[in-house]
Amino acid sequence: MTVDGVAPLDPPSCSDKIASPGKIVSPDPAQPCASPARTPPDHPVSAPPASASGHPAPSYPSGNASAVYAAIDLGTNNCRLLVARPTARSFRVVDAFSRIVRLGEGLTASGRLCDEAMARAVAALEVCAAKMDLRGVTRARIVATEACRAADNGAEFCARVEERTGLQLEVVDRRTEAGLAATGCAPLVDPTCDGAVLFDIGGGSTEVVWLGRRSAGDDGPPRARIRSWVSLPVGVVSLSERHGGVRVSPDVFHAMVDEVCGMLDGVRQSWGVRAPGRLHLLGTSGTVTTVAGIHLGLDRYDRTRVDGAWLGASHIEEVVERLMCMSFEERVANPCIGAQRADLVLAGCAIMEAVRRVFPTDRLRVADRGLREGMLVQLMRADGAWRRNRPAGTPSGDAHA
């Protein structure tokens, strides 16, 4: 059953060991590695709201039920793929892949992507390319975020990826990243509230987006109404590298919270959000899903129970306190954390706590979705995948993300 824009995974998934396919390009192949101007790392970036759409004309007739779409999000910490087909009102995932690659490892200190990190990312992208080839993908968007934006050798890495995998990376700016996250998470905004404050904690940046009430739009998933946004130059990898992530004392944790609060200073006031209690928080990141999994007492991570779950302020505080009391080894042993996230989870909690301080509200909704879902929705909507169900005379404009 399709729920809020994401349907269950259809088996089977292909093996990781499949020969690399031919070239599959992103929607803007003319400048696959064009990176926006770099922003000084000590200042957050913000801008007035705008749609993050802007894809080219459809590559095949609108509403083509046989079309197969793919979205890859190569972040500072993770490489993620979704392959999907449109359904009457949403889409159905037919394949997926996720691997922690830590592409941004050491970037804060060196300003460059290191050889080991690039090799891990290329290996993961080879798996993605093979899956896309196996599934017969006809339309794809393949984006890279903060690590490639910030690295001096980002273009060199993009060229290596294309040579090895045939995939052309699109290095997106922070405005686009915020818009994609909003589009992917829009179905989880509570329509009975005045909106939500979405925060997407990445490996190298964190996007915070003020969303208004979701609009009905066409027959597809709800559209995001972005009122304003800010991008902070901090994520779980960069913050843990500065402060340490293995042994985290209360003083270190509070120093991380204070650092992020400083980046958010004045944001709520500049947005004109006077009563955060009329909003709810909407968190999308490994940190937020981990906190939800621990709160739910899961023996193993279960997306069906986590995505869309509600957490109260007391639930979050209890889990963060438990994490603070755990040793590194205990975090590694926790089934909702594991070895690859054990040194990052408290940095993520510090970012979440900073957002909660600035936007105090009792409710947080958990989203196990984000950029990939946003890319799929935007591609399908641009191709008119849901337009055929619109009543005659209904406008088809795409005024929202």
Side-chain angles (χ1 to χ4, degrees), residues 134-265:
L134 181 70
R135 294 293 185 176
V137 168
T138 54
R139 187 101 145 89
R141 192 171 187 189
I142 304 154
V143 305
T145 56
E146 184 65 20
C148 289
R149 284 196 295 259
D152 293 333
N153 58 341
E156 173 190 328
F157 169 70
C158 289
R160 182 185 303 187
V161 168
E162 184 176 0
E163 179 183 356
R164 288 279 300 274
T165 69
L167 302 176
Q168 292 187 337
L169 288 174
E170 174 193 359
V171 182
V172 296
D173 60 22
R174 291 173 176 178
R175 172 197 288 269
T176 301
E177 185 174 358
L180 289 171
T183 299
C185 295
L188 295 181
V189 177
D190 185 348
T192 67
C193 290
D194 286 348
V197 175
L198 166 69
F199 60 99
D200 180 6
I201 305 172
S205 69
T206 295
E207 281 62 52
V208 184
V209 185
W210 179 17
L211 296 176
R213 290 180 184 271
R214 66 188 191 186
S215 56
D218 53 22
D219 285 339
R223 303 172 190 242
R225 179 171 173 248
I226 300 175
R227 303 189 65 173
S228 197
W229 63 276
V230 64
S231 181
L232 310 180
V234 65
V236 293
V237 174
S238 55
L239 194 62
S240 64
E241 285 185 351
R242 281 200 294 275
H243 292 270
V246 175
R247 313 296 174 196
V248 181
S249 68
D251 287 345
V252 168
F253 181 79
H254 293 305
M256 290 192 287
V257 175
D258 290 342
E259 178 180 332
V260 181
C261 280
M263 296 179 185
L264 283 167
D265 184 42

Side-chain angles (χ1 to χ4, degrees), residues 14 32 75 83 91 103 108 151 167 202 314 323 380:
C14 71
V83 181
F91 59 81
L103 179 59
T108 301
L167 302 176
S314 61
L323 288 169
M380 293 176 189

Side-chain angles (χ1 to χ4, degrees), residues 9-19 21 81 83 94-97 99 126-136:
L9 179 67
D10 281 349
S13 172
C14 71
S15 165
D16 284 5
K17 298 183 179 179
I18 302 176
L81 163 74
V83 181
V94 298
D95 211 341
F97 173 77
R99 180 182 292 176
E126 286 177 329
V127 176
C128 294
K131 286 178 173 286
M132 292 165 67
D133 187 50
L134 181 70
R135 294 293 185 176

Side-chain angles (χ1 to χ4, degrees), residues 4-6 27 51-55 69-73 82 84 90-91 93 140-143 176-187 198 200 221-224 226 284 303 367-382 386 398 400-401:
D4 279 338
V6 181
S51 169
S53 300
H55 302 301
Y69 295 79
I72 295 177
D73 169 20
L82 278 184
S90 182
F91 59 81
V93 175
R141 192 171 187 189
I142 304 154
V143 305
T176 301
E177 185 174 358
L180 289 171
T183 299
C185 295
L198 166 69
D200 180 6
R223 303 172 190 242
I226 300 175
T284 172
R303 182 187 185 278
D368 187 349
R369 59 181 78 192
L371 266 65
R372 295 175 301 169
E373 290 81 1
M375 285 185 272
L376 290 173
V377 168
Q378 287 189 357
L379 287 171
M380 293 176 189
R381 181 160 276 139
W386 303 297
D398 190 1
H400 303 287

